[in-house]
Amino acid sequence: MPLDRFDRQLLNLVQEDAGQTAEQLAEQVFLSPSAVQRRLRRLREQGVIVRDAAVIDPRKVGRPTFFVVSLQVERERPELLAQLRQWLAAQEHVQQAFYVTGEADFVLIITAPDTETYDALMARLVGDNPNVKRFTTNVALGVVKRGLTIPIPLDGDE
């Protein structure tokens, strides 16, 4: 779907703060509030905007620890990978899961209140998914940058 300059501006703005009103957005992109609402509705209907989310400080809600996990599978058979993907998608502690190239087959970002909770999750992972060969864990000592925004160039050429 082709995006014009107004769409691109709106996408950048709502990624930074989805709580802005149509009036606030309209002032920034020089459109009417109703035009902004129509564009945002179209972008949602066409699947460009998948969902709106709030960014939470994990320490303030008891999820201070992040684990970066490299996971290897025994066999890359489609049905086994589909089972693992489904299992990962259903786990609330798994924040992000990427199917990747290289030594690992998946890279996971997991949050948990403590190492015991993480350990229990990984025990369930291995128990429920016998195709998991091994995993390695890195504990995040601090956050340098955290975000989910996709940079969208305004001119559409980048």
Side-chain angles (χ1 to χ4, degrees):
M1 160 192 150
L3 301 172
D4 66 15
R5 185 173 182 85
F6 293 113
D7 292 334
R8 293 171 181 281
Q9 285 178 297
L10 286 170
L11 289 170
N12 283 319
L13 290 168
V14 298
Q15 284 188 96
E16 287 301 319
D17 182 0
Q20 294 182 78
T21 65
E23 290 77 16
Q24 291 170 318
L25 292 167
E27 287 177 17
Q28 296 174 75
V29 298
F30 305 108
L31 289 172
S32 70
S34 61
V36 166
Q37 289 173 329
R38 280 193 303 274
R39 284 174 177 271
L40 290 174
R41 183 172 43 253
R42 177 179 47 83
L43 291 167
R44 285 184 178 97
E45 288 170 355
Q46 294 179 339
V48 176
I49 297 175
V50 178
R51 67 181 172 160
D52 298 313
V55 178
I56 306 296
D57 182 337
R59 292 174 309 221
K60 293 186 179 178
V61 293
R63 300 286 178 170
T65 311
F66 283 91
F67 303 88
V68 181
V69 180
S70 298
L71 186 135
Q72 292 178 325
V73 296
E74 195 70 46
R75 291 172 297 284
E76 292 194 53
R77 293 195 347 232
E79 68 277 9
L80 295 174
L81 290 175
Q83 175 188 349
L84 178 58
R85 284 183 177 117
Q86 186 176 19
W87 191 94
L88 292 169
Q91 303 305 309
E92 68 177 10
H93 294 289
V94 177
Q95 299 299 295
Q96 297 180 47
F98 300 95
Y99 184 50
V100 298
T101 62
E103 282 190 42
D105 297 301
F106 291 86
V107 173
L108 313 175
I109 307 298
I110 297 174
T111 184
D114 50 47
T115 55
E116 291 80 15
T117 303
Y118 169 76
D119 190 45
L121 173 72
M122 298 313 284
R124 282 196 330 271
L125 168 74
V126 172
D128 293 349
N129 296 280
N131 192 39
V132 171
K133 182 177 181 178
R134 76 172 53 96
F135 64 88
T136 58
T137 303
N138 294 292
V139 179
L141 299 176
V143 177
V144 176
K145 179 178 180 181
R146 191 180 112 195
L148 295 174
T149 59
I150 306 296
I152 302 171
L154 296 180
D155 59 15
D157 293 334
E158 290 183 34

